Amino acid sequence: MGSIATPVANGINGHNGHSVDNSHVDVLIVGAGPMGLMSALWMAEFGLKIRIIDERGTRALNGRADGFHVRSLEIWDSFGLGHIFANHGTPFSRWALWAPNSEGKLTRQKQEGAIGIDVSRFICGTIHQGNVEAALIDAAKRRSSIEVERGVVPTRIAVDDSKIDDHTAYAVTVDLRRVQKEELTTWAVNAHSVKDGVVKTERGHIDATVVPNDGSDTIPTISGEPGSTETVHAKYVIGADGAHSWVRRQLGLHMEGASHNAQWGVIDVVLNTDFPDLQKHCTILSPVGTVLSVPRENGLTRLYIQLPGSDQDVSPVSGIATAQHMMESAAKIIAPYRLSYSYCDWWTVYKVGQRVANHFHYGQRVFLGGDAVHTHTPKGGQGMNVSMQDAYNLGWKLAGVLKNQLDPAILSTYETERRPIAQLLIDIDRMLAGNLSKKDRTTTLGVNEVYDKLRQFNSGANICYEPSAIVATQPPVPVTNLPLGMRMPPYPIFNLASALPVDLQGLFRSNGQWRLLVFGGDVTNETQLSRVNKLGAALSPLLGKFRPLKSGVPFLVPLLLIWAGCEQMELSAFHDIFSRLEDDSNFEYNRIFADPPATKKSGRAESAHVAFDVSVGKGCMILVRPDQCISWVGELDGVAALEEFLGGIFLSK
């Protein structure tokens, strides 16, 4: 073991310039891609002491993952990052299927709304991985001064089994080494232009446009003295180090599944073409192969191209000739439309493969996510999305345990909730890859069927977790049609105090708090109003029973949604738990919301009560986890059952 390295000069987890002991951390994150950075953002939100390391010298620069589905957009919005995609992403609202008609001519066979457009207030689209990483790095740093340590690799990891059950113990030891300059891994850019047959190497669109920066994040860096080593003692480790995960291999976990010889090219290009649908997401089928297209920023289009002979174990030509080979293949597939390119920002070639890890954790002290536990083709645009959603599921659980708020037993739900999702992704991807690679196609029926399945999965909005310690079973008599284990959907409602429109889902910000959404029903009826206020009185002692994240902040925030117009009720009509700040006579203006019956004036087809099948004469309670998932439902007189359920999750004061 070498000498302990001096803490990185940029002050990893430092505060106010003072020296900080970085050899002991709450969480060590290995890998600074979307999974690792989303994990870091959650940890920063909770104010935990973390370090995040990555073997590469910079964030991703150009190309790579680009698809942003609606559930990921909802998650980003919950962290206050919705403006990033709104200002810098490339949305698309339609999907088109092209295939030969009965005369063999390539024609548009079908078009419909893009994935997720019918279930979310957001529209899916693309934004390149470099911008995604830059935005997450900036957001985490703003919350907790976290810096990614570049050019740092783990060399040994050990879990002390005798400390696994003591969740205050530093049970994981990791040796780190800062690489030598000649070892530093960097990203291949591959950008070039083509003019009059002359190919010119270009810098590429590598600068992050989503946050203010001076371009220094594109310069390969080693955080600290090259060759220096140190040992880090962590309570938990998150392995987010990609498909060839060092963490996974060191722990003896393995991937299950298969890879195939089929080869596809991916390329981001400025096109010269008369094809009419490049502002849509397209699937283009022909007897000579398949092309998928999605619009990108800066006038680019991303193409996924089935390469000739891709069912054989052959290697493509090398260098820039590879990009030219891809485009020649695409031009044959898209004929009679013309297709060439003047600029290429990035390209790569991959083989089809679908695998999922046998476990997503080791002793519930080391957790893995993203490509480290599930690999698949990029054609569904799911890799970055599912990776960030892995982190979104894990982060609040890990932080709640570290803050001594939640029972450590809930950590087991990370694997039980996320591994089935990964397996479903792999199954759908296998179907998609098989259908798109067919050579003897006589019908588009198979493609239509698999896209219907992909539509249900890819939005991320329809994922539903199974019953567990943190997802109750459905009550014998349903009180709502909202499924337990599914994310709270969006719906237009109104703030009672201001009468301004708000979105229901937007009430559930990602700050670690649990919320109790009370559908109050028709409170213009005195009997129902009395029920709601009786509930408020019953909830008051409950709010002080379980441990909060921090002093003065309740572990559970009650929100009230009433079936009435803003002009019909006053804040003062409701119990203080809904209408007042804690220990204060002032009103709390953001806890009571109006859900008036549908009228032309309300601008809604129906109220949320009606849409979610909640009786306006009875109402109901819905417990929502920090990740916006519905955890428990019950009637307004069900506080005892709610308390019992919470007792299996939270630690008592």
Side-chain angles (χ1 to χ4, degrees):
M1 190 69 195
S3 60
I4 302 298
T6 302
V8 178
N10 57 12
I12 306 304
N13 252 356
H15 300 277
N16 301 320
H18 296 298
S19 177
V20 176
D21 172 21
N22 284 314
S23 63
H24 289 77
V25 295
D26 292 321
V27 182
L28 173 66
I29 302 171
V30 181
M35 164 71 189
L37 291 171
M38 178 61 76
S39 299
L41 178 58
W42 250 140
M43 301 299 105
E45 187 68 43
F46 282 84
L48 294 168
K49 185 176 182 181
I50 77 164
R51 290 175 66 178
I52 178 168
I53 64 170
D54 195 271
E55 66 177 353
R56 295 187 184 273
T58 68
R59 58 164 173 78
L61 297 178
N62 59 343
R64 293 165 185 86
D66 69 341
F68 234 64
H69 290 289
V70 296
R71 181 58 186 142
S72 296
L73 289 169
E74 291 172 355
I75 291 169
W76 272 49
D77 184 66
S78 74
F79 281 107
L81 301 176
H83 64 285
I84 298 292
F85 184 84
N87 295 333
H88 301 279
T90 304
F92 48 85
S93 62
R94 304 293 288 174
W95 170 69
L97 175 63
W98 286 71
N101 61 15
S102 58
E103 299 175 353
K105 182 181 178 181
L106 187 66
T107 57
R108 186 192 299 118
Q109 302 286 337
K110 180 180 182 179
Q111 65 172 317
E112 56 190 32
I115 289 170
I117 201 166
D118 55 340
V119 294
S120 178
R121 65 196 196 276
F122 295 103
I123 298 174
C124 66
T126 56
I127 181 170
H128 82 71
Q129 187 173 328
N131 272 332
V132 170
E133 292 185 11
L136 290 173
I137 290 168
D138 181 72
K141 187 175 180 179
R142 287 175 183 272
R143 285 164 169 81
S144 194
S145 301
I146 294 168
E147 298 274 3
V148 177
E149 299 178 57
R150 299 288 180 189
V152 182
V153 296
T155 58
R156 184 183 70 89
I157 184 170
V159 180
D160 188 339
D161 292 339
S162 69
K163 296 180 179 178
I164 280 181
D165 294 330
D166 178 3
H167 288 267
T168 65
Y170 296 90
V172 190
T173 303
V174 184
D175 291 345
L176 303 180
R177 181 176 68 87
R178 288 164 179 80
V179 301
Q180 299 289 350
K181 291 181 180 180
E182 61 272 16
E183 298 177 273
L184 185 62
T185 305
T186 57
W187 297 98
V189 173
N190 295 336
H192 61 276
S193 59
V194 180
K195 185 176 182 180
D196 299 328
V198 178
V199 177
K200 178 184 177 183
T201 300
E202 302 285 356
R203 181 171 182 267
H205 297 298
I206 65 174
D207 293 315
T209 58
V210 297
V211 294
N213 73 86
D214 58 4
S216 60
D217 61 349
T218 66
I219 301 171
T221 301
I222 299 172
S223 300
E225 184 65 29
S228 62
T229 61
E230 65 173 309
T231 297
V232 174
H233 305 276
K235 294 177 181 177
Y236 296 93
V237 169
I238 296 175
D241 50 339
H244 303 290
S245 172
W246 177 92
V247 175
R248 184 190 68 232
R249 288 183 282 111
Q250 293 300 307
L251 296 175
L253 306 179
H254 63 272
M255 302 291 277
E256 300 172 342
S259 61
H260 309 282
N261 290 329
Q263 291 182 332
W264 285 67
V266 186
I267 190 167
D268 295 330
V269 283
V270 174
L271 291 171
N272 304 312
T273 183
D274 56 354
F275 186 74
D277 272 1
L278 290 181
Q279 290 304 302
K280 304 181 181 78
H281 171 207
C282 293
T283 301
I284 306 164
L285 311 174
S286 88
V288 295
T290 299
V291 168
L292 311 179
S293 74
V294 288
R296 290 286 304 267
E297 72 285 350
N298 298 315
L300 296 168
T301 300
R302 169 160 290 190
L303 301 178
Y304 297 88
I305 306 161
Q306 184 181 4
L307 299 179
S310 65
D311 57 335
Q312 303 171 22
D313 192 9
V314 296
S315 298
V317 291
S318 60
I320 289 176
T322 304
Q324 297 171 325
H325 175 62
M326 288 182 200
M327 293 304 298
E328 290 168 1
S329 300
K332 293 176 182 177
I333 294 169
I334 208 171
Y337 296 99
R338 60 179 175 80
L339 185 74
S340 62
Y341 75 103
S342 58
Y343 172 79
C344 170
D345 198 55
W346 176 82
W347 57 265
T348 191
V349 174
Y350 69 90
K351 287 189 176 184
V352 175
Q354 297 93 10
R355 291 189 175 96
V356 63
N358 61 327
H359 288 293
F360 282 26
H361 73 94
Y362 182 90
Q364 293 180 30
R365 284 306 188 122
V366 182
F367 295 89
L368 296 102
D371 289 352
V373 286
H374 43 75
T375 61
H376 47 88
T377 72
K379 290 190 288 293
Q382 271 300 313
M384 181 166 63
N385 293 271
V386 177
S387 294
M388 290 190 295
Q389 290 164 30
D390 284 346
Y392 192 57
N393 181 283
L394 173 63
W396 66 270
K397 299 172 183 177
L398 202 54
V401 170
L402 282 163
K403 285 289 188 179
N404 206 29
Q405 181 196 39
L406 303 180
D407 188 328
I410 73 158
L411 295 176
S412 65
T413 64
Y414 171 62
E415 179 171 312
T416 59
E417 289 187 338
R418 294 306 298 174
R419 193 176 186 279
I421 301 304
Q423 189 60 62
L424 180 59
L425 166 64
I426 297 306
D427 293 343
I428 294 174
D429 186 68
R430 186 179 294 114
M431 294 172 59
L432 179 65
N435 268 277
L436 295 182
S437 297
K438 283 184 177 178
K439 286 187 168 183
D440 55 349
R441 189 184 312 280
T442 58
T443 175
T444 63
L445 183 61
V447 173
N448 276 307
E449 289 176 349
V450 75
Y451 266 93
D452 286 342
K453 292 181 181 293
L454 197 65
R455 178 176 297 276
Q456 288 294 312
F457 179 86
N458 265 23
S459 71
N462 296 312
I463 288 171
C464 193
Y465 298 132
E466 293 295 319
S468 67
I470 54 175
V471 177
T473 55
Q474 193 71 260
V477 180
V479 296
T480 175
N481 60 17
L482 290 171
L484 282 153
M486 189 175 283
R487 109 304 190 199
M488 176 61 68
Y491 210 84
I493 56 175
F494 300 87
N495 182 289
L496 179 63
S498 67
L500 290 172
V502 296
D503 188 85
L504 176 63
Q505 188 186 67
L507 304 181
F508 304 97
R509 312 302 293 179
S510 291
N511 60 8
Q513 287 187 311
W514 292 64
R515 279 89 172 186
L516 184 68
L517 177 62
V518 177
F519 277 76
D522 182 8
V523 292
T524 63
N525 179 293
E526 287 295 331
T527 301
Q528 186 61 16
L529 177 60
S530 176
R531 285 196 192 102
V532 169
N533 285 329
K534 185 177 179 181
L535 168 64
L539 287 174
S540 291
L542 177 62
L543 296 192
K545 183 170 183 179
F546 299 108
R547 296 183 181 181
L549 280 174
K550 56 184 178 181
S551 179
V553 178
F555 82 95
L556 181 68
V557 177
L559 303 170
L560 177 60
L561 183 63
I562 59 173
W563 195 67
C566 295
E567 71 284 355
Q568 292 179 279
M569 300 298 296
E570 298 288 342
L571 292 178
S572 57
F574 299 99
H575 190 278
D576 285 357
I577 201 170
F578 301 117
S579 62
R580 305 280 181 177
L581 295 168
E582 287 75 15
D583 302 320
D584 198 327
S585 61
N586 293 324
F587 279 121
E588 164 56 78
Y589 295 112
N590 296 301
R591 287 192 186 171
I592 305 181
F593 301 88
D595 179 39
T599 62
K600 289 184 179 180
K601 184 178 178 181
S602 72
R604 304 181 305 164
E606 57 190 6
S607 67
H609 279 73
V610 173
F612 302 142
D613 199 20
V614 176
S615 168
V616 298
K618 293 183 177 180
C620 75
M621 294 187 288
I622 299 178
L623 179 66
V624 183
R625 305 183 334 189
D627 61 352
Q628 301 184 334
C629 287
I630 297 171
S631 185
W632 175 94
V633 298
E635 297 187 0
L636 297 190
D637 61 358
V639 173
L642 172 62
E643 182 175 342
E644 181 181 2
F645 180 74
L646 291 170
I649 301 171
F650 286 82
L651 300 177
S652 299
K653 281 188 175 179

